[in-house]
Amino acid sequence: MDYQGDKDLLKKDKFLREQVYKRLKDNVLDGHWQPNTRLVEEKLAADMGTSRTPVREAIQKLEKEGLIRKLPKGGFAVGAVTSEEVEEVFGIRGVVETYAAFLAASRATDQDISALEEIVKQEEACLKTGDVDELVRLNTLFHDTLYRTARSEKLLAVINELRDFIHRYRVICFTNEKMAETAVFDHKSMIAAMKADNPRQVQKTVQKFFVRAKAFIKKRIRQRPKRRTAKV
């Protein structure tokens, strides 16, 4: 029997499933598919050049993660961000991430601060070009770098549990130029407070941005059209 051939097929199949899952998830998180957009397995499979099985498995996995919802009459649609979800997630972030920011500011070395400053320089360049996707990536990198500076694996694990929700909220916020500018300004303020050895100010800055971001996202939810968008 060709055991090596079987192993290669299994690896190829696993890679395909992972790629299908990642592509669907990215489309949801990056806002390429609007909330309530109906997902059609046959069309998605055809677009990705695969069978329906990996598509169906990816959809079921995303449903468990709360990013896709099952429709009453069958099928699936992109889950919408709700006010209740936003309240809950920002409530948790308001406790966990502000504490992580305080610890990070307390423990940061000159090298840590330099790394954050370099990210902010890139963020400022993105503001000039209007590259929202890159700005979201850099914002995520800034906060990942900051929270790693707290040097608490358990705290980082808790924050990462909310990673998908946080990414989706960043995409919503940074499509607004003023919110994007505010985030970068706050990053500069946080670095200044870290240099001044003022961890409490760093903590307060993170909390203030959360308040603004939560209000902005909830306003967007209220303005969202009620109609269902096109199928994909």
Side-chain angles (χ1 to χ4, degrees):
M1 296 180 67
D2 186 2
Y3 291 108
Q4 185 58 47
D6 290 342
K7 288 181 179 179
D8 290 342
L9 284 172
L10 287 171
K11 286 181 181 179
K12 185 177 180 180
D13 182 62
K14 183 179 179 182
F15 177 75
L16 174 63
R17 291 167 190 268
E18 289 173 350
Q19 288 298 104
V20 170
Y21 165 74
K22 184 179 185 305
R23 184 170 169 185
L24 266 61
K25 186 171 186 175
D26 286 347
N27 281 334
V28 174
L29 295 179
D30 292 339
H32 295 309
W33 293 337
Q34 292 300 307
N36 301 318
T37 298
R38 190 165 178 241
L39 305 179
V40 181
E41 288 182 10
E42 296 92 333
K43 189 173 184 305
L44 289 171
D47 289 345
M48 289 185 278
T50 184
S51 68
R52 290 174 58 183
T53 300
V55 173
R56 185 182 303 115
E57 290 177 354
I59 287 175
Q60 290 172 347
K61 188 173 181 180
L62 291 171
E63 183 197 10
K64 291 180 180 178
E65 293 174 3
L67 297 175
I68 286 175
R69 64 184 178 86
K70 197 168 187 175
L71 297 171
K73 295 182 179 180
F76 294 87
V78 176
V81 175
T82 66
S83 292
E84 293 78 14
E85 173 201 295
V86 171
E87 280 288 346
E88 183 176 13
V89 173
F90 273 99
I92 297 169
R93 293 184 71 187
V95 175
V96 178
E97 291 190 46
T98 55
Y99 177 56
F102 174 82
L103 283 184
S106 302
R107 299 172 178 177
T109 64
D110 290 342
Q111 186 176 0
D112 294 326
I113 294 173
S114 294
L116 293 171
E117 287 180 315
E118 180 57 37
I119 296 169
V120 169
K121 287 180 184 178
Q122 296 177 54
E123 287 180 323
E124 290 180 313
C126 282
L127 285 177
K128 293 178 181 178
T129 61
D131 189 340
V132 175
D133 289 342
E134 182 63 6
L135 191 56
V136 169
R137 187 190 71 81
L138 288 169
N139 185 275
T140 300
L141 179 61
F142 181 93
H143 284 275
D144 284 350
T145 303
L146 177 69
Y147 299 148
R148 281 199 301 271
T149 302
R151 294 175 175 82
S152 171
E153 292 299 324
K154 289 184 176 61
L155 191 55
L156 197 59
V158 173
I159 293 171
N160 283 336
E161 282 292 315
L162 298 173
R163 195 175 187 87
D164 290 343
F165 295 102
I166 294 168
H167 179 86
R168 207 174 184 188
Y169 298 162
R170 283 187 180 128
V171 171
I172 294 171
C173 285
F174 293 163
T175 54
N176 179 275
E177 186 177 352
K178 186 175 180 181
M179 287 296 293
E181 290 174 348
T182 299
V184 177
F185 177 81
D186 283 351
H187 290 176
K188 293 170 71 175
S189 299
M190 289 161 66
I191 290 171
M194 291 169 80
K195 287 182 175 180
D197 194 24
N198 190 347
R200 290 293 179 196
Q201 185 57 45
V202 176
Q203 187 178 32
K204 289 177 182 178
T205 301
V206 173
Q207 183 63 56
K208 283 174 66 177
F209 184 80
F210 285 172
V211 171
R212 288 192 294 267
K214 182 176 75 170
F216 178 80
I217 294 168
K218 292 181 76 172
K219 182 179 179 181
R220 280 293 180 90
I221 291 171
R222 291 193 297 271
Q223 295 171 341
R224 186 168 58 209
K226 299 297 182 183
R227 62 184 177 82
R228 182 175 296 170
T229 54
K231 298 177 182 178
V232 296

